[in-house]
Amino acid sequence: MKIRILVMNGQRLVQSEQGAQWNTEKVEKAGAVKPGIYNIHLAVVADKSKSHDGPIIYADKEHVYQQTGRSFVKHNLADFDKVPEIGGNSIVKYSGEKAVVSKASIKLGRGIS
């Protein structure tokens, strides 16, 4: 089943694709998640040998979804002591089989464009 998160107007919609249509299953407050369409059905399983940096987009009963660049990774919810803050920019590292979450610092810089 394909699942996506649609964030707009301060709301976060959890949608699933049935047939050729997206049906809204749940509506919640968006919180700190930036507006956009997040195709979390494209998420790959997180590599436990690496650290993953980016905002936490969504958590369900089995997984925690994190955006890393333009792609998504999913972490097993059972690996966390508590669910990380949704929308928060976080670094997820693994110590053995447990996931350790720390806040990522905001990187400011100017580039030549």
Side-chain angles (χ1 to χ4, degrees):
M1 174 185 344
K2 290 184 177 181
I3 296 176
R4 74 178 183 183
I5 307 297
L6 177 62
V7 179
M8 63 180 177
N9 299 330
Q11 302 294 315
R12 180 174 59 204
L13 286 74
V14 179
Q15 297 182 328
S16 65
E17 186 179 39
Q18 295 172 351
Q21 292 186 344
W22 289 98
N23 295 326
T24 302
E25 294 182 0
K26 191 188 317 184
V27 178
E28 305 169 326
K29 295 276 185 197
V33 180
K34 292 183 179 179
I37 298 172
Y38 301 95
N39 292 312
I40 61 173
H41 62 273
L42 300 174
V44 295
V45 177
D47 184 356
K48 293 186 178 187
S49 65
K50 298 180 181 178
S51 66
H52 304 280
D53 185 4
I56 304 295
I57 301 299
Y58 182 67
D60 60 15
K61 294 178 182 176
E62 297 176 11
H63 297 100
V64 173
Y65 296 91
Q66 182 180 25
Q67 184 177 17
T68 56
R70 294 194 175 269
S71 61
F72 299 94
V73 294
K74 60 182 173 182
H75 307 275
N76 287 327
L77 184 61
D79 293 343
F80 293 89
D81 290 334
K82 68 174 195 164
V83 179
E85 176 187 348
I86 304 297
N89 199 18
S90 302
I91 298 173
V92 178
K93 295 180 185 177
Y94 285 89
S95 175
E97 290 297 313
K98 284 293 184 186
V100 178
V101 180
S102 60
K103 292 280 186 192
S105 62
I106 298 174
K107 299 173 189 166
L108 297 177
R110 289 186 174 204
I112 299 174
S113 53

